[in-house]
Amino acid sequence: MTATVEQFDLKFKKNRLVVSEIMIRQFIFEIYYSYFNGIEKPLQTVQTVADQAMDRLSADLGISRLPTTDKKLEIYIKIQYIRMHGKDYLTDHVLTAGFKEAQANLWHSVTQMMANDYRLNVSGEFEIEALLTFLFAEGFTQFEVNWLASDLQSKVTQLTQRFIKQVNVVLAADAGQTPQFQMAIQQLTQDLNQIHTKQLTFYTEPTTFIDENQLTYFAESNPLFHSIIQKVVDKSKRKLEWRKQASIYYDYMFAWVFLRESYIISVCKKW
C-alpha cells in the first residue's frame, strides 16, 4: 500500500487526502482494478446502480459488453457514484465548450443516465465530461481529438505528433509515400490520440501480468516499431515506474500490431 501511495504522490492532512479529486479516483480505481483483480464484484453496495447505469449506456451508445471492458466501466461508475454521493466532485473541464451542442446525443445519453440511475440532485457537467472522456479513451464509443478542451487537446496532439515524427523517420523511407502508408498513418494518429488521452486523463493499466519476457517477444517480433517506442518512452522514463512504462509500451505496440495486420503487412514485409 505504501508503494501505491508513493506512486500517486498522495498527501494526507488530518487523515484526509489533499490531492486533486481525479487523482483520488485514479488511486481508488487502481486498488480495485489492478491490485485486487481477483475480486469478482468489488463495492457491492452500489452494484445495482452500476448495473442499471451500464445497461442504459450500453443500450443508448451501442457499447459492446465484454467481461474485460465491463469490469473497467463498472468500477469507474461505482467510484464516480460513491464520490459524487459523498459530495466530492470534479471541478475541471476536459471537453471543449461546444461539445454539448455539437454531440447532443452523447451528452444527452450520459445526462439521462446520471439523472435516472445516480439520482443525485447536483449539476454534473464536469462529471458528464469525465465519464464521456473515459468512454472515448477506453474505446467504448467514437472519439475525436478536437472534442477535448483546448489545453488537453494541445498536449495530446503534441505527444501524437512527436510519435508520428519518429514513425516517419524510421518507416517512411522503407514504405514510401504510398496511399496505404498514408492511410496507416491516419489510423495510427487516431489510435495514438486515444492512447494519449487515456494517459493524460484517467489511465487504466492492463490486468494481465507484465514481465520482461513478454516485452522481449514484442521487441523481437516488431523490431522497427519497438525502436520507435523506445525513443518516445525513454524521454519520460524517469517519470514513470516500470509497470506503467510497460503498460504504455503495450498500448503502443497493440495499436501497431492491429494496424499492421489491417493495412501494411502486404506493403512492407520488414515491418
Side-chain angles (χ1 to χ4, degrees):
M1 180 66 74
T2 301
T4 305
V5 170
E6 291 176 353
Q7 175 188 336
F8 285 89
D9 195 26
L10 299 178
K11 308 296 182 184
F12 291 88
K13 184 177 182 180
K14 296 181 180 180
N15 294 322
R16 286 184 61 86
L17 287 168
V18 290
V19 294
S20 67
E21 176 61 21
I22 192 64
M23 287 304 298
I24 292 173
R25 296 188 192 191
Q26 182 82 63
F27 170 66
I28 298 170
F29 186 98
E30 185 76 12
I31 293 297
Y32 284 103
Y33 183 69
S34 296
Y35 290 88
F36 294 126
N37 191 28
I39 301 177
E40 184 177 355
K41 293 288 184 181
L43 304 170
Q44 280 278 358
T45 56
V46 295
Q47 190 63 49
T48 300
V49 172
D51 288 341
Q52 292 173 345
M54 291 174 67
D55 286 345
R56 191 182 303 274
L57 290 174
S58 178
D60 290 351
L61 302 179
I63 293 174
S64 299
R65 304 295 297 269
L66 299 171
T68 51
T69 54
D70 260 19
K71 182 181 177 183
K72 282 186 180 181
L73 183 55
E74 177 184 327
I75 296 177
Y76 183 94
I77 285 173
K78 286 178 175 178
I79 293 170
Q80 183 178 52
Y81 174 77
I82 290 170
R83 296 299 292 178
M84 290 178 70
H85 196 271
K87 302 187 186 308
D88 295 300
Y89 306 118
L90 298 174
T91 57
D92 296 314
H93 286 292
V94 286
L95 296 179
T96 185
F99 178 88
K100 185 190 303 187
E101 291 74 28
Q103 300 297 325
N105 289 338
L106 286 171
W107 187 269
H108 179 73
S109 293
V110 175
T111 302
Q112 286 298 105
M113 182 279 286
M114 289 190 177
N116 294 324
D117 300 314
Y118 287 7
R119 298 182 180 180
L120 295 174
N121 186 25
V122 61
S123 176
E125 186 166 297
F126 297 118
E127 300 289 348
I128 294 168
E129 290 186 21
L131 178 53
L132 280 166
T133 304
F134 179 81
L135 294 174
F136 299 151
E138 291 296 335
F140 287 108
T141 190
Q142 179 187 359
F143 166 72
E144 297 293 339
V145 70
N146 60 12
W147 292 349
L148 300 175
S150 58
D151 288 349
L152 178 58
Q153 181 181 152
S154 177
K155 292 175 183 177
V156 168
T157 302
Q158 184 178 19
L159 288 171
T160 297
Q161 288 176 344
R162 186 179 72 181
F163 201 107
I164 293 297
K165 181 178 179 180
Q166 288 294 331
V167 171
N168 280 315
V169 167
V170 175
L171 300 180
D174 189 50
Q177 297 302 313
T178 64
Q180 294 93 331
F181 180 74
Q182 292 305 314
M183 185 184 300
I185 290 296
Q186 290 175 11
Q187 182 59 53
L188 183 60
T189 298
Q190 175 74 3
D191 292 342
L192 289 171
N193 283 337
Q194 183 176 328
I195 290 169
H196 293 141
T197 297
K198 179 165 67 172
Q199 288 181 18
L200 294 173
T201 55
F202 199 92
Y203 188 78
T204 61
E205 295 181 354
T207 54
T208 53
F209 181 72
I210 299 171
D211 64 37
E212 295 194 28
N213 289 331
Q214 290 172 306
L215 298 182
T216 300
Y217 167 78
F218 281 112
E220 292 175 349
S221 302
N222 305 273
L224 293 183
F225 203 68
H226 169 78
S227 70
I228 294 169
I229 296 173
Q230 289 296 98
K231 286 184 175 67
V232 174
V233 174
D234 281 352
K235 292 181 180 180
S236 58
K237 187 175 182 180
R238 294 180 182 178
K239 300 178 182 178
L240 300 173
E241 55 99 15
W242 184 85
R243 180 180 169 84
K244 176 117 181 237
Q245 188 179 353
S247 299
I248 291 171
Y249 179 96
Y250 272 165
D251 282 342
Y252 287 144
M253 189 58 77
F254 287 155
W256 173 251
V257 170
F258 175 78
L259 188 66
R260 185 189 62 184
E261 296 298 322
S262 300
Y263 294 109
I264 307 177
I265 196 165
S266 63
V267 179
C268 183
K269 297 293 185 181
K270 187 189 296 185
W271 295 8

